[in-house]
Amino acid sequence: MAAPAPGEMIGIGHHGLAMRLTETGDESFVRHLFKTARAESLTVAELPPAAIDSLLEQQFRAQSAGYAAQFPDAVSLLIVRRDEPIGRLILHCAAQRWHIVDIVLLPAERGHGLGTEVIDALEASARQQGVGALTLSVLGGNPAAHRFYLRRGFAETGQAGAAHIAMKKDLA
């Protein structure tokens, strides 16, 4: 996907969705998005709210630093609907393959076909630019995401570290 210019929106899908580059002022939303998406998994720990928030903040910083180190050229895009942010996509674009580093929607936005629209838009853009494949890795403990990618035509290609499953969708 050709990265949009700062402030430029790229329209996708039929639900008023668009993507734009993440800007400095978006950090609070991105942090909120991360914590909201991950908080569900920590509620079983029965920790005090302050401890959960501290743990999520540490995880957010570690993930951000890890992605920046592993994919320094990746593009960070905000997924918006009618100018309201609802998710984020980090995409590493190489000539032969585009790697979905991370994609996350607010929990309330899931299950309405929005993720499908984002993936379909990525696929269409990649095909238009002659890219041969989309790749990603999904957490083995996230069966819903794993099923979603299988339904979108991705196939398992092996393990990606101890906890993730590598997946690929050939576009040729």
Side-chain angles (χ1 to χ4, degrees):
M1 171 175 288
E8 177 187 7
M9 295 280 210
I10 298 173
I12 57 173
H14 304 290
H15 291 96
L17 291 182
M19 288 190 277
R20 66 169 174 78
L21 285 174
T22 304
E23 301 168 352
T24 304
D26 297 323
E27 186 176 337
S28 64
F29 170 75
V30 172
R31 179 177 270 107
H32 167 75
L33 177 65
F34 177 89
K35 289 181 177 184
T36 302
R38 295 285 174 96
E40 299 167 349
S41 65
L42 293 178
T43 56
V44 297
E46 298 183 15
L47 296 171
I52 290 175
D53 189 62
S54 177
L55 180 59
L56 288 169
E57 182 64 28
Q58 290 174 355
Q59 289 179 346
F60 174 75
R61 288 184 190 155
Q63 183 190 67
S64 297
Y67 287 163
Q70 191 173 358
F71 303 100
D73 298 330
V75 177
S76 178
L77 300 160
L78 219 57
I79 303 167
V80 298
R81 184 174 55 213
R82 294 175 204 71
D83 295 326
E84 289 295 319
I86 62 165
R88 181 189 67 172
L89 168 69
I90 299 175
L91 186 66
H92 182 260
C93 299
Q96 295 302 312
R97 73 176 179 99
W98 288 358
H99 183 74
I100 300 167
V101 177
D102 191 31
I103 183 170
V104 62
L105 295 172
L106 288 169
E109 303 297 337
R110 297 178 194 157
H112 304 291
L114 305 180
T116 296
E117 288 189 27
V118 172
I119 296 297
D120 287 351
L122 285 177
E123 182 179 338
S125 184
R127 284 181 189 278
Q128 183 180 17
Q129 295 184 40
V131 174
L134 293 177
T135 61
L136 57 89
S137 61
V138 64
L139 187 62
N142 188 345
H146 185 243
R147 284 190 308 270
F148 169 78
Y149 292 119
L150 289 172
R151 284 192 312 269
R152 302 299 327 134
F154 286 80
E156 293 183 19
T157 60
Q159 290 296 117
H164 289 82
I165 301 165
M167 301 186 83
K168 179 180 181 182
K169 182 172 186 175
D170 287 314
L171 303 178

